[in-house]
Structures are given as structure tokens and as C-alpha cells.
């Protein structure tokens, strides 16, 4: 299932993303400690987090996750969105909790 | 295979946690262009990012020299920071001296150095109190 299809199925808000929305979501990872995420998230995963500062973009680029999903209505800072656009990182947003999102994505893919 | 070595150099700004990771992201792009395998790129990206972040959080920045040969990728990060009092302790997972403000940004979990050790094939760390720290990361490219 592609990122775009996940967005549609779960009614996620799309804050950034162009052609990267066509990437395949092959699994997911939930976490807010950046070093932990760096070490554990796998290429193609949807990364679910409440962390919304600009550093999540570098972590997403380096781990090559397919998208970042900000849960519980967390809103990223403007510089974070700008950086994500520059780097081709998809940032999505939802009012759901990390648990709900992971559960739903797990059922979808 | 040739013996050619590609060198990259970066100056890391210590006051700017916002731009931390720029050097690591750039190296990742270069390695990808060179056709290096994703597994190797991942090892370099994770270990270098952790070291780059450490430099910004603890040492007010520094310099990074990257050399890429067909056999290995070597990253040397040198700073003029306060140095590490007890390297064995700093290497322990969960041990961190990062301030609360840094922790609130998602760092300071005490996983930086352990992650570097885990993902680098060779990690050398030398540090002198009051003078600075040098971290050398080597990732081998299987032939």
C-alpha cells in the first residue's frame, strides 16, 4: 500500500509530500526518542511520533522512512515543514493516538 | 576497483541544533550516487548522525572529514569541546549528560555512542578533558 493510499484510508492531513506519496509503506515504527528511531526504524516504514521539531526531518532522511505521521494533532513548527519540503520528506498529521494509528496501519498493509 | 579516494569536509555549527544532520544527509546522498548498497549507507548514516549530533549538543560544533574509497568509508569528527571524563561510562546505553532542553527535543537518550559502536565496523574515540574529542568511524565495504 502506498503512502497516498494510507492517507486516503485513514483520512490523514497531508502537510508535505510530492512524488514521495507514491512510496510503498512496508511497516511502521512508533517512537519519540530520535536515537532510538534512528537505530530501529527501517527503510519504507511509516514513522508515528509526537516529536515535531525540525530534527525529525534529518532522522526521516537518514532512516529512509516512507513518511512521518504526527499523531494526537501535534503541529510541526514552520521550519520543520519547510525543511521537509526541501528534503522530499512526507509529513502527515492525525488526531488519532500512536496506538490507534499503528493498529489501523497494521490492518491496512 | 581503483584506489581513488573521495574526500568531503564539513564544518558543523555548534549553536544550531536545527541544522544538525546536514553533513550526514549530504554524505548519504553522495554514497547513494556512488551506488553504495543501502545497508552500508544505513550504517554510515546512523553512526555519523549520532556523532554529528553529539558534537552540536556537547562540544559547540567541530569539523568532519569523510574519505570514501572502494574498500571503506572513514568519518573523522573532531571537536574542541570539553572532552569526555569517562569514556567507558559514556559508552553505556542510557547514560547521558545532555541537558533537559535537549531531551525535550528527543535527544539525550544515552544511545548516541552505543549506536555508533553498533553500526560502525570500527570506532575509535580519543578525548582529553578541556581539549576536545575525536571520533573515528570506519564502515567497510564488502568486496
Amino acid at each position: 500500500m502506498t503512502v497516498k493510499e494510507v492517507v486516503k484510508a485513514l483520512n490523514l492531513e497531508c502537510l508535505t509530500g510530492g512524488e514521495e506519496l507514491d512510496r510503498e509503506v512496508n511497516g511502521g515504527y512508533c517512537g519519540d526518542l530520535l536515537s532510538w528511531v534512528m537505530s530501529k526504524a527501517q527503510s519504507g516504514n511509516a514513522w508515528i511520533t509526537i516529536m515535531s521539531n525540525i530534527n525529525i526531518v534529518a532522522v526521516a532522511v537518514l532512516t529512509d522512512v516512507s513518511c512521518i505521521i504526527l499523531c494526537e494533532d501535534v503541529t510541526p513548527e514552520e521550519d520543520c515543514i519547510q525543511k521537509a519540503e526541501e528534503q522530499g520528506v512526507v509529513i502527515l498529521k492525525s488526531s488519532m493516538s500512536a496506538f490507534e494509528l499503528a493498529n489501523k496501519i497494521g490492518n491496512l498493509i | 576497483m581503483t584506489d581513488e579516494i573521495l574526500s568531503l569536509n564539513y564544518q558543523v555549527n555548534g549553536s544550531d541544533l536545527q541544522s544538525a544532520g546536514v553533513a550526514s544527509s549530504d554524505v548519504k546522498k553522495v554514497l547513494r550516487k556512488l551506488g553504495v548498497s543501502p545497508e552500508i549507507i544505513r550504517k554510515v548514516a546512523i553512526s555519523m548522525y549520532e556523532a554529528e549530533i553529539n558534537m552540536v549538543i556537547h562540544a559547540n560544533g567541530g569539523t568532519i572529514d569523510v574519505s570514501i574509497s572502494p574498500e571503506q568509508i572513514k568519518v573523522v569528527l573532531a571537536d574542541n569541546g570539553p572532552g569526555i571524563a569517562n569514556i567507558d561510562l559514556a559508552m553505556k546505553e542510557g547514560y547521558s549528560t545532555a541537558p533537559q532542553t535537549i531531551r525535550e527535543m528527543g535527544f539525550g537518550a544515552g544511545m548516541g555512542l552505543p549506536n555508533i559502536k553498533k553500526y560502525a565496523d570500527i570506532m575509535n574515540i580519543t578525548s582529553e578533558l578541556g581539549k576536545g574529542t575525536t571520533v573515528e568511524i570506519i564502515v567497510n565495504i564488502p568486496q
Side-chain angles (χ1 to χ4, degrees), chain A residues 57-101:
Chain A
V57 177
V59 172
V61 168
L62 294 169
T63 52
D64 196 34
V65 292
S66 54
C67 60
I68 300 171
I69 308 180
L70 300 175
C71 53
E72 317 239 18
D73 264 335
V74 164
T75 303
E77 293 150 23
E78 189 49 45
D79 58 353
C80 178
I81 292 182
Q82 202 180 328
K83 186 86 177 171
E85 273 167 356
E86 279 167 30
Q87 301 278 326
V89 170
V90 177
I91 301 184
L92 310 171
K93 184 179 157 175
S94 168
S95 57
M96 284 185 266
S97 70
F99 178 79
E100 285 176 283
L101 277 166

Side-chain angles (χ1 to χ4, degrees), chain B residues 15-29:
Chain B
S15 61
D16 187 11
L17 197 58
Q18 309 285 313
S19 63
V22 169
S24 306
S25 301
D26 189 64
V27 168
K28 182 182 174 176
K29 273 183 214 149

Side-chain angles (χ1 to χ4, degrees), chain B residues 10-132:
Chain B
Y10 302 91
Q11 193 75 39
V12 178
N13 181 354
S15 61
D16 187 11
L17 197 58
Q18 309 285 313
S19 63
V22 169
S24 306
S25 301
D26 189 64
V27 168
K28 182 182 174 176
K29 273 183 214 149
V30 171
L31 293 176
R32 195 183 267 172
K33 272 189 200 149
L34 289 171
V36 175
S37 75
E39 296 77 36
I40 299 297
I41 294 177
R42 180 177 168 83
K43 289 173 75 170
V44 175
I46 294 176
S47 51
M48 181 173 166
Y49 179 70
E50 293 288 8
E52 188 181 346
I53 287 290
N54 275 348
M55 245 183 178
V56 177
I57 294 175
H58 299 288
N60 199 30
T63 58
I64 307 180
D65 296 305
V66 182
S67 41
I68 305 165
S69 77
E71 292 79 31
Q72 68 174 31
I73 297 138
K74 182 170 155 185
V75 185
V76 180
L77 304 99
D79 68 57
N80 298 313
I84 303 170
N86 184 335
I87 292 179
D88 287 341
L89 193 56
M91 290 299 300
K92 277 200 178 131
E93 214 166 285
Y95 178 83
S96 174
T97 57
Q100 186 59 28
T101 48
I102 296 292
R103 289 169 196 254
E104 281 163 9
M105 294 179 80
F107 298 108
M111 285 192 63
L113 291 176
N115 265 354
I116 299 172
K117 193 177 167 73
K118 186 172 164 192
Y119 287 97
D121 289 315
I122 299 170
M123 172 196 186
N124 292 314
I125 177 163
T126 52
S127 190
E128 199 175 333
L129 280 180
K131 297 221 165 148

